[in-house]
Amino acid sequence: DTGVSQDPRHKITKRGQNVTFRCDPISEHNRLYWYRQTLGQGPEFLTYFQNEAQLEKSRLLSDRFSAERPKGSFSTLEIQRTEQGDSAMYLCASSLAGTGANVLTFGAGSRLTVL
Amino acid sequence: AQTVTQSQPEMSVQEAETVTLSCTYDTSESNYYLFWYKQPPSRQMILVIRQEAYKQQNATENRFSVNFQKAAKSFSLKISDSQLGDTAMYFCAFIDAGAGSYQLTFGKGTKLSVIP
C-alpha cells in the first residue's frame, strides 16, 4: 500500500464549472476525512466517513459540495458551480477506527484554482 | 469549541542548531491528544509526534520532542540538530479523546526554514 492517493493533484477551472476530486485511502482504513486548506491557514474539517456512512459535515460544506464513499472504499468530493472562494487545497486523510482513530494519514492534496 | 494558536508565522534556524516552535490551545476537555504535523513544500502532511494529555511524560521521536504543559495549555515542539529536510510548514493540532471524536483542529502553522 502506497498511502493515501488523491487525484487530480491540480485542477484549474472557470467559475461556474463543476469539479470532482477522488481519494483512495489506505485499504484497511475504515475512516476517511476531507479537509480544506487555504493559503496561510491550517486545514479545516469538511466531512468524515466511517465505512460508507457520512457521519458528519461541517458548516463549511455548502449545498454546492457533496461527498460520497460508495462501498466504503474510495471517496469523491464534488463541487458544483464553483466560485473563486472555492480555490484551495483539498486534503483527504484516512485512519483506523478504534485506538488508531486519531492518527490520520494524509494524501498530498488536490489543489483547485477557480478563475 | 477548541482553538489552537501558533504565534510564530515564520522561523529560521541554522543547520545543526536547535529550534522550538510554540503552540497554545484552549479546551474545556480533560482528555485529548495533541499533534505536530509537518507539511514540506508541495508534499503531503506527515505526523511528527503525538502526545496524550493524560500522560505526563513528554513525547519524543528521534530529534523531535515536545514540552507539554497541561495547566498552561502549551505544547511546544523542539527540533534538535536541525537538518535541511526539516524545512516545512509545521502545524499543531488538537483532538478530543472521546470515543466519537473525529475532527482535528489545526493552528495556522509555522513556516520553518533551515539555513545551510
Side-chain angles (χ1 to χ4, degrees):
Chain A
D1 199 334
T2 56
V4 179
S5 299
Q6 293 190 244
D7 183 70
R9 292 291 309 277
H10 300 95
K11 178 71 177 179
I12 300 173
T13 191
K14 293 182 179 180
R15 188 176 55 186
Q17 297 296 304
N18 299 343
V19 296
T20 299
F21 301 115
R22 175 179 171 125
C23 172
D24 288 272
I26 292 173
S27 56
E28 61 265 31
H29 285 183
N30 49 4
R31 285 192 173 187
L32 185 146
Y33 312 79
W34 285 98
Y35 282 78
R36 182 174 72 185
Q37 185 178 17
T38 53
L39 200 61
Q41 302 292 322
E44 297 172 293
F45 171 80
L46 291 179
T47 190
Y48 125 87
F49 294 82
Q50 180 147 322
N51 300 312
E52 67 276 9
Q54 187 174 18
L55 297 186
E56 189 65 32
K57 292 170 59 174
S58 163
R59 58 180 174 78
L60 294 175
L61 218 62
S62 75
D63 291 345
R64 297 184 296 104
F65 288 71
S66 63
E68 295 182 343
R69 192 184 183 197
K71 302 179 182 178
S73 55
F74 70 93
S75 176
T76 58
L77 177 68
E78 181 184 16
I79 309 173
Q80 296 182 328
R81 305 180 303 281
T82 52
E83 302 174 355
Q84 288 184 328
D86 297 332
S87 294
M89 177 76 84
Y90 290 86
L91 299 172
C92 178
S94 68
S95 71
L96 274 171
T99 55
N102 57 53
V103 180
L104 273 61
T105 300
F106 282 86
S110 293
R111 181 171 296 283
L112 173 65
T113 301
V114 182
L115 302 177
Chain B
Q2 294 86 6
T3 58
V4 176
T5 302
Q6 293 179 249
S7 59
Q8 305 151 315
E10 294 192 39
M11 293 191 72
S12 62
V13 62
Q14 291 290 135
E15 195 174 5
E17 296 296 308
T18 296
V19 64
T20 299
L21 309 184
S22 300
C23 173
T24 58
Y25 58 95
D26 190 24
T27 183
S28 58
E29 302 294 334
S30 59
N31 198 14
Y32 47 86
Y33 294 89
L34 294 161
F35 307 84
W36 279 98
Y37 277 89
K38 169 185 177 181
Q39 188 177 40
S42 301
R43 294 180 62 187
Q44 68 196 88
M45 193 172 308
I46 59 174
L47 179 65
V48 174
I49 201 164
R50 179 177 76 156
Q51 175 78 42
E52 297 168 81
Y54 63 86
K55 290 188 176 179
Q56 293 188 341
Q57 186 173 4
N58 289 324
T60 299
E61 288 288 341
N62 301 314
R63 297 183 296 107
F64 298 87
S65 61
V66 298
N67 183 4
F68 174 48
Q69 301 289 328
K70 190 172 184 179
K73 295 181 181 175
S74 170
F75 183 61
S76 61
L77 175 70
K78 185 172 80 171
I79 305 174
S80 303
D81 185 25
S82 297
Q83 300 176 1
L84 296 179
D86 295 334
T87 293
M89 285 292 294
Y90 286 81
F91 292 97
C92 179
F94 169 103
I95 191 168
D96 179 7
S101 295
Y102 53 85
Q103 180 175 344
L104 276 172
T105 300
F106 287 86
K108 291 187 176 183
T110 296
K111 183 179 181 180
L112 177 67
S113 298
V114 180
I115 302 166

